[in-house]
């Protein structure tokens, strides 16, 4: 297990997400992981300016792809485990739950599911497919349910080629506040 202990270590890992892709053959999302994560964080910053933990969860939600390449099903858990010590339980849970939220939406929102990127549609199967009714009920009772859905929707929206967002260094003080 990889534990990220400092803001500097996290910034280095995030920088390493530049020109790293969710699919090794680049057949997945149309932007690299760094662009995708920054877009996701920016969407969350605009929609939830007072929730820096949610924003940072958006910024780090896909680092598991870099830590354990090719593990689509486990990338949320790997990312959560890596940031828990530095960023806290809520950020880690949201990172982990962004995959769970995808499964929930696949089971409950046909329009959302049909709008998933081709890569997200492929990986949904590896991630367990749409939730069962019992899983839906359990997830809806989770205290982080709404925030996880918000992160997931930002995740799905943050795949725009050429979108101008804040550079990575802009996020350092936000990460530092969450880490404190």
């Amino acid at each position: 297990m990889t534990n990220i202990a400092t803001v500097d270590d996290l910034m280095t890992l995030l920088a390493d997400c530049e020109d790293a892709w969710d699919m090794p053959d680049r057949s997945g999302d149309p932007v690299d992981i760094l662009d995708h994560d920054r877009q996701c964080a920016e969407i969350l910053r605009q929609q939830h300016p007072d929730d820096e933990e949610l924003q940072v969860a958006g910024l780090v939600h896909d680092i598991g792809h870099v830590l354990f390449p090719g593990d689509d099903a486990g990338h949320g858990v790997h990312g959560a485990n890596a940031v828990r010590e530095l960023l806290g339980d809520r950020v880690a849970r949201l990172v982990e739950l962004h995959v769970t939220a995808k499964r929930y939406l696949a089971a409950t929102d046909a329009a959302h599911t049909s709008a998933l990127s081709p890569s997200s549609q492929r990986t949904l199967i590896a991630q367990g497919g749409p939730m069962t009714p019992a899983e839906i009920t359990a997830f809806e009772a989770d205290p982080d349910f709404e925030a996880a859905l918000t992160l997931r929707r930002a995740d799905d929206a943050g795949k725009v080629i050429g979108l101008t967002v804040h550079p990575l260094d802009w996020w350092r003080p936000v990460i530092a506040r969450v880490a404190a």
Side-chain angles (χ1 to χ4, degrees):
M1 175 183 359
T2 302
N3 289 325
I4 300 166
T6 69
V7 172
D8 286 340
D9 290 344
L10 181 56
M11 293 299 290
T12 298
L13 177 59
L14 286 167
D16 289 345
C17 292
E18 184 174 16
D19 205 32
W21 301 82
D22 62 333
M23 301 295 285
D25 64 359
R26 296 187 182 191
S27 65
D29 292 336
V31 294
D32 67 29
I33 293 172
L34 179 59
D35 269 350
H36 169 62
D37 285 355
R38 289 184 306 128
Q39 288 182 31
C40 184
E42 181 63 24
I43 290 166
L44 294 166
R45 185 189 68 78
Q46 290 175 11
Q47 293 176 351
H48 300 275
D50 297 328
D51 192 346
E52 289 186 333
E53 289 179 336
L54 179 60
Q55 296 164 31
V56 170
L59 185 64
V60 303
H61 79 280
D62 271 349
I63 62 170
H65 284 299
V66 174
L67 295 171
F68 293 87
D71 188 356
D72 293 320
H75 80 278
V77 172
H78 298 310
N81 290 338
V83 301
R84 183 170 278 109
E85 182 179 319
L86 178 65
L87 300 176
D89 286 334
R90 181 169 182 251
V91 172
R93 280 206 83 233
L94 293 174
V95 169
E96 184 172 351
L97 288 175
H98 87 276
V99 174
T100 306
K102 175 181 172 181
R103 295 185 59 228
Y104 173 85
L105 289 169
T108 62
D109 186 343
H112 181 88
T113 304
S114 67
L116 286 174
S117 71
S119 173
S120 286
Q121 290 177 4
R122 280 194 312 267
T123 59
L124 174 63
I125 302 309
Q127 295 162 343
M131 283 185 170
T132 66
E135 289 172 320
I136 290 168
T137 300
F139 185 50
E140 287 173 342
D142 190 295
D144 290 316
F145 169 74
E146 289 296 336
L149 289 183
T150 299
L151 172 56
R152 182 70 227 177
R153 287 187 172 107
D155 181 5
D156 291 328
K159 301 175 183 184
V160 179
I161 295 171
L163 184 67
T164 301
V165 294
H166 291 296
L168 179 57
D169 284 341
W170 186 91
W171 288 97
R172 178 183 287 276
V174 181
I175 293 169
R177 285 191 297 273
V178 170

